[in-house]
Amino acid sequence: MESTSTRDPDLTRARILDAALALFVAHGVAAVSMRQIAEGSGVTKSLIHHHFGTKEALWGAVKAHAFSRYAEEQREALEARQTPDALLLETSVLRYFRFLQQRPEVVRLLAWIHLEADEGCSEMDAELVRLGAARIHEAQQAGLLRDDVNPTHVVTLFVHACNQWFTAKAHHSGWPGIGDDQAYLEDFLRIFMAGLVPPDPR
């Protein structure tokens, strides 16, 4: 069953992760067996166990694999800006929206994560949320964003707005007057960013 290419550990891991991602996205974690993943990746179950241990550990690796590049880019951008401001927040929203737009399989993966009440994902992105909320708080202290809202709720709001747009896209595509991805994004940013403008002190 194993080809010559599976003798390369990195290539083997990548094949297993890709096969597992495709199966988890299509059927959810609970419905997928290690045998199916072995068949999909062209390796034996024992080799999957060798690289990842349990199915739960493989699931964790699949999530990390799917989100790692986005998370790293978002983290670097948040850490690089010396003075946080409204533009940094808007750019963060854009980065997340484009990530989901370009990776429909991640949208389905997120849907399964939420349906199966997987708490591991929240642990995985907690540090990124903490960093984003900290930068928002700094902008609030500088008077650049309104300071009467919870910074973590600000992050949560834009994450949910992006997730739900793509998750429910097939459902709301027939609504009268609904726009495309770009039109929705522009309107959301107008409403979202305007709502964070500090109130006029007069």
Side-chain angles (χ1 to χ4, degrees):
M1 185 177 187
E2 296 165 59
S3 66
T4 303
S5 62
T6 62
R7 297 171 190 167
D8 180 335
D10 292 336
L11 180 58
T12 300
R13 286 179 60 87
R15 287 174 58 175
I16 295 168
L17 287 170
D18 288 343
L21 173 61
L23 286 164
F24 290 154
V25 162
H27 308 292
V29 181
V32 175
S33 68
M34 293 292 260
R35 178 185 59 78
Q36 290 173 301
I37 297 169
E39 291 175 354
S41 57
V43 305
T44 62
K45 286 197 297 182
S46 61
L47 196 55
I48 297 176
H49 285 296
H50 170 73
H51 283 284
F52 296 99
T54 64
K55 188 174 85 169
E56 290 71 25
L58 175 57
W59 170 230
V62 165
K63 289 184 291 184
H65 180 65
F67 290 99
S68 59
R69 183 174 177 180
Y70 156 75
E72 186 59 30
E73 290 177 353
Q74 190 76 286
R75 182 181 299 106
E76 287 178 357
L78 290 170
E79 291 176 341
R81 184 70 66 89
Q82 295 297 316
T83 305
D85 54 18
L87 181 59
L88 177 60
L89 176 58
E90 184 172 338
T91 303
S92 296
V93 176
L94 284 167
R95 186 175 293 107
Y96 187 60
F97 190 91
R98 296 302 184 206
F99 167 66
L100 296 180
Q101 185 181 43
Q102 295 162 12
R103 299 286 304 276
E105 74 279 10
V106 172
V107 176
R108 288 184 60 87
L109 191 68
L110 282 167
W112 281 115
I113 287 170
H114 297 151
L115 282 171
E116 299 186 1
D118 178 7
E119 297 180 359
C121 194
S122 63
E123 296 171 3
M124 183 175 64
D125 58 19
E127 177 59 23
L128 191 59
V129 172
R130 184 203 63 76
L131 177 59
R135 301 318 305 265
I136 291 169
H137 180 62
E138 291 171 16
Q140 289 174 320
Q141 290 183 315
L144 302 173
L145 296 174
R146 61 186 301 167
D147 62 3
D148 59 342
V149 291
N150 182 327
T152 301
H153 291 171
V154 175
V155 176
T156 304
L157 182 61
F158 86 68
V159 168
H160 286 181
C162 294
N163 288 353
Q164 187 62 20
W165 170 258
F166 290 107
T167 299
K169 197 168 181 179
H171 173 73
H172 58 53
S173 62
W175 289 357
I178 197 75
D180 59 12
D181 289 354
Q182 187 61 31
Y184 171 79
L185 175 62
E186 290 173 0
D187 280 343
F188 171 70
L189 283 172
R190 287 189 190 99
I191 297 166
F192 181 66
M193 298 307 299
L196 291 169
V197 173
D200 190 335
R202 292 178 297 176

